[in-house]
PDB file of all heavy atoms in Angstrom:
ATOM      1  N   LEU R  14    -115.869  90.383  77.410  1.00  0.00           N
ATOM      2  CA  LEU R  14    -115.411  90.178  78.781  1.00  0.00           C
ATOM      3  C   LEU R  14    -114.334  91.208  79.096  1.00  0.00           C
ATOM      4  O   LEU R  14    -113.249  91.189  78.518  1.00  0.00           O
ATOM      5  CB  LEU R  14    -114.879  88.755  78.956  1.00  0.00           C
ATOM      6  CG  LEU R  14    -115.855  87.621  78.583  1.00  0.00           C
ATOM      7  CD1 LEU R  14    -115.259  86.270  78.951  1.00  0.00           C
ATOM      8  CD2 LEU R  14    -117.224  87.809  79.232  1.00  0.00           C
ATOM      9  N   LEU R  67    -118.956 103.591  78.163  1.00  0.00           N
ATOM     10  CA  LEU R  67    -119.840 102.921  77.204  1.00  0.00           C
ATOM     11  C   LEU R  67    -120.866 103.905  76.652  1.00  0.00           C
ATOM     12  O   LEU R  67    -121.441 104.700  77.394  1.00  0.00           O
ATOM     13  CB  LEU R  67    -120.552 101.745  77.869  1.00  0.00           C
ATOM     14  CG  LEU R  67    -119.663 100.666  78.485  1.00  0.00           C
ATOM     15  CD1 LEU R  67    -120.519  99.551  79.073  1.00  0.00           C
ATOM     16  CD2 LEU R  67    -118.676 100.107  77.459  1.00  0.00           C
ATOM     17  N   TRP R  79    -116.279  88.667  90.118  1.00  0.00           N
ATOM     18  CA  TRP R  79    -115.371  88.767  88.963  1.00  0.00           C
ATOM     19  C   TRP R  79    -113.925  88.491  89.353  1.00  0.00           C
ATOM     20  O   TRP R  79    -113.124  88.022  88.529  1.00  0.00           O
ATOM     21  CB  TRP R  79    -115.481  90.155  88.327  1.00  0.00           C
ATOM     22  CG  TRP R  79    -115.091  91.276  89.239  1.00  0.00           C
ATOM     23  CD1 TRP R  79    -115.922  92.012  90.028  1.00  0.00           C
ATOM     24  CD2 TRP R  79    -113.773  91.773  89.479  1.00  0.00           C
ATOM     25  NE1 TRP R  79    -115.205  92.942  90.755  1.00  0.00           N
ATOM     26  CE2 TRP R  79    -113.877  92.812  90.434  1.00  0.00           C
ATOM     27  CE3 TRP R  79    -112.504  91.445  88.974  1.00  0.00           C
ATOM     28  CZ2 TRP R  79    -112.773  93.525  90.903  1.00  0.00           C
ATOM     29  CZ3 TRP R  79    -111.400  92.157  89.440  1.00  0.00           C
ATOM     30  CH2 TRP R  79    -111.539  93.176  90.393  1.00  0.00           C
ATOM     31  N   LEU R  94    -127.645  87.879  78.534  1.00  0.00           N
ATOM     32  CA  LEU R  94    -128.088  87.653  77.157  1.00  0.00           C
ATOM     33  C   LEU R  94    -129.308  86.732  77.105  1.00  0.00           C
ATOM     34  O   LEU R  94    -130.096  86.796  76.149  1.00  0.00           O
ATOM     35  CB  LEU R  94    -126.956  87.062  76.316  1.00  0.00           C
ATOM     36  CG  LEU R  94    -125.845  88.035  75.936  1.00  0.00           C
ATOM     37  CD1 LEU R  94    -124.745  87.306  75.181  1.00  0.00           C
ATOM     38  CD2 LEU R  94    -126.378  89.189  75.089  1.00  0.00           C
ATOM     39  N   ALA R 123    -120.358  83.725  61.271  1.00  0.00           N
ATOM     40  CA  ALA R 123    -121.114  83.406  60.053  1.00  0.00           C
ATOM     41  C   ALA R 123    -121.860  82.073  60.182  1.00  0.00           C
ATOM     42  O   ALA R 123    -121.290  81.065  60.590  1.00  0.00           O
ATOM     43  CB  ALA R 123    -120.166  83.362  58.863  1.00  0.00           C
ATOM     44  N   THR R 129    -124.483  75.857  67.476  1.00  0.00           N
ATOM     45  CA  THR R 129    -123.095  76.092  67.075  1.00  0.00           C
ATOM     46  C   THR R 129    -122.135  76.120  68.262  1.00  0.00           C
ATOM     47  O   THR R 129    -122.423  76.713  69.299  1.00  0.00           O
ATOM     48  CB  THR R 129    -122.977  77.442  66.331  1.00  0.00           C
ATOM     49  OG1 THR R 129    -123.805  77.407  65.171  1.00  0.00           O
ATOM     50  CG2 THR R 129    -121.553  77.715  65.912  1.00  0.00           C
ATOM     51  N   LEU R 144    -117.593  81.122  69.735  1.00  0.00           N
ATOM     52  CA  LEU R 144    -119.015  81.233  69.415  1.00  0.00           C
ATOM     53  C   LEU R 144    -119.780  80.124  70.117  1.00  0.00           C
ATOM     54  O   LEU R 144    -119.478  78.941  69.931  1.00  0.00           O
ATOM     55  CB  LEU R 144    -119.219  81.152  67.901  1.00  0.00           C
ATOM     56  CG  LEU R 144    -120.645  81.357  67.387  1.00  0.00           C
ATOM     57  CD1 LEU R 144    -121.117  82.787  67.636  1.00  0.00           C
ATOM     58  CD2 LEU R 144    -120.720  81.039  65.890  1.00  0.00           C
ATOM     59  N   ALA R 163    -115.025  78.897  79.649  1.00  0.00           N
ATOM     60  CA  ALA R 163    -115.666  77.735  79.011  1.00  0.00           C
ATOM     61  C   ALA R 163    -114.645  76.680  78.586  1.00  0.00           C
ATOM     62  O   ALA R 163    -115.007  75.717  77.909  1.00  0.00           O
ATOM     63  CB  ALA R 163    -116.464  78.201  77.789  1.00  0.00           C
ATOM     64  N   SER R 198     -94.221 106.309  69.916  1.00  0.00           N
ATOM     65  CA  SER R 198     -93.519 105.467  68.949  1.00  0.00           C
ATOM     66  C   SER R 198     -94.183 105.497  67.584  1.00  0.00           C
ATOM     67  O   SER R 198     -95.312 105.878  67.440  1.00  0.00           O
ATOM     68  CB  SER R 198     -93.459 104.019  69.455  1.00  0.00           C
ATOM     69  OG  SER R 198     -94.746 103.493  69.568  1.00  0.00           O
TER      70      SER R 198
END
Side-chain angles (χ1 to χ4, degrees):
L14 304 186
L67 302 181
W79 62 266
L94 286 176
T129 300
L144 184 67
S198 63

